[in-house]
Amino acid sequence: MAANGASCEQPQKRAGAKDKQNGKSTDSSVRERRQKDKEDRLSLVVWRRPVTTLHYFFLETLVKLNEWTFRLWQRRGTVFLVLVLCSLLSIAYSTEGAHQQYVNYLERRFLWCAYWVGLGILSSVGLGTGLHTFLLYLGPHIASVTLAAYECSSTDFPEPPYPEQIVCPQSGGVEGSISLFSIMSKVRLEACMWGAGTAIGELPPYFMARAARQSGADPEDEDYEEFEEMLEQAEGAQDFVTRAKLGVQHMVQKVGFFGILACASIPNPLFDLAGITCGHFLVPFWTFFGATLIGKAIIKMHIQKLFVIITFSKHIVEQMVSLIGSVPKVGPSLQKPFSQYLEAQRSKLHHGGGSAPADENWLSWVFEKVVLVMVCYFVTSIVNSMAQSYAKRLQQQRHLEEKTK
């Protein structure tokens, strides 16, 4: 009997070992297939396969438009109320009366806030590579206001033309009356709106991870797949980047609101992971968004704003220009365009921003071209990203058909 029992156990052990081996081989084959699919998708870029990339981009655009139309139809009651409200506002806007001065004021404020919120969303929403709108738009705006405030000894710039153009007030100001806090209050609205836009741009990873966790479906996002793999291999993590990601994940998961607030309050390239973590562990929406909004629109924004204002304060700028001139051999030739640029800006402030000379400065030309290149790269990255998303749809459809056969 014992011999028969032992002989029965041996085939069962062999079968169990064989099942484990089959499971491991299946996992490895799935992993290899996913890696191959990912490499195929990443090769789909405009500069390698332009025709296919553009074709897939237009198809993905049609798919997204179809999905958004269906979602709007599902919420047609809300859409109808929004349309009614817009119609009432349009009537009030077009009707003449004493209320027009308030309407015009609200219009200017709304468009100004919407402009900065939109730039903030573009900076963090994750379309392609993201557009660095702080470096391209908000930072230069704060720097211009700082330089103008010290030059004019006032922040009471005439409106209009401010904010489109900065001109010193006719009355002028008291020399030395400009303080750090007066400049901060002058740019507070646009800075906070930009920060609020970056907080809104962090919502897609949160909603994607939350929907995937609640539905139990396979995630369609590369970052979420990497997040799940990171959780599975957490114990064996050795490299610094993985440990940093795990640190963010543990802080958000264990500390909650204040952990999210800490991650959002400092420049943090891994914050997308915080959104995915919150969605994966079903953190309440207002806990995540409230902490993100406070961290990005108030705390982090004031840190960045303070840094730019200090950097472009009058004495710091003069010291930097003189420091450039002290560089051996090339210093004077580099110092000259910077000095000319600053002098041209001072002249514009005092003379109503008259037309600039044709050969004003090559610094402005270089900055314009840098902005153009970065915007073009951002648009290209969106095209590549959407084309790769459509390629992933085709791959998933192909694998599903192979399973059903």
Side-chain angles (χ1 to χ4, degrees), residues 209-229:
R210 186 182 180 90
R213 179 67 185 272
Q214 288 177 333
S215 65
D218 291 333
E220 297 183 0
D221 188 82
E222 300 285 350
D223 292 335
Y224 189 69
E225 290 179 358
E226 292 178 5
F227 172 75
E228 288 199 325
E229 290 177 4

Side-chain angles (χ1 to χ4, degrees), residues 191-344:
C192 289
M193 289 298 104
W194 185 87
T198 62
I200 295 170
E202 299 293 352
L203 292 178
Y206 169 83
F207 285 125
M208 175 272 304
R210 186 182 180 90
R213 179 67 185 272
Q214 288 177 333
S215 65
D218 291 333
E220 297 183 0
D221 188 82
E222 300 285 350
D223 292 335
Y224 189 69
E225 290 179 358
E226 292 178 5
F227 172 75
E228 288 199 325
E229 290 177 4
M230 185 188 71
L231 291 181
E232 293 173 0
Q233 302 169 0
E235 294 181 1
Q238 296 294 330
D239 60 293
F240 174 77
V241 175
T242 305
R243 287 202 303 271
K245 290 181 178 180
L246 287 170
V248 171
Q249 182 255 321
H250 287 314
M251 178 184 288
V252 169
Q253 185 182 357
K254 293 181 179 179
V255 184
F257 179 89
F258 292 101
I260 303 167
L261 182 64
C263 291
S265 300
I266 57 174
N268 185 1
L270 301 176
F271 191 79
D272 277 354
L273 188 66
I276 293 173
T277 301
C278 291
H280 180 79
F281 292 105
L282 303 180
V283 173
F285 170 77
W286 287 111
T287 300
F288 169 72
F289 185 65
T292 304
L293 186 64
I294 294 170
K296 285 184 172 289
I298 299 176
I299 301 174
K300 179 184 173 184
M301 200 59 256
H302 276 79
I303 295 172
Q304 292 177 298
K305 182 169 58 174
L306 190 64
F307 173 78
V308 175
I309 292 172
I310 292 173
T311 303
F312 285 90
S313 58
K314 187 175 182 179
H315 63 284
I316 295 290
V317 171
E318 290 174 353
Q319 288 177 5
M320 285 194 295
V321 173
S322 63
L323 188 64
I324 292 171
S326 64
V327 177
K329 295 182 180 180
V330 296
S333 59
L334 288 175
Q335 186 186 37
K336 185 179 178 181
F338 281 97
S339 301
Q340 288 177 344
Y341 178 76
L342 291 174
E343 190 58 39

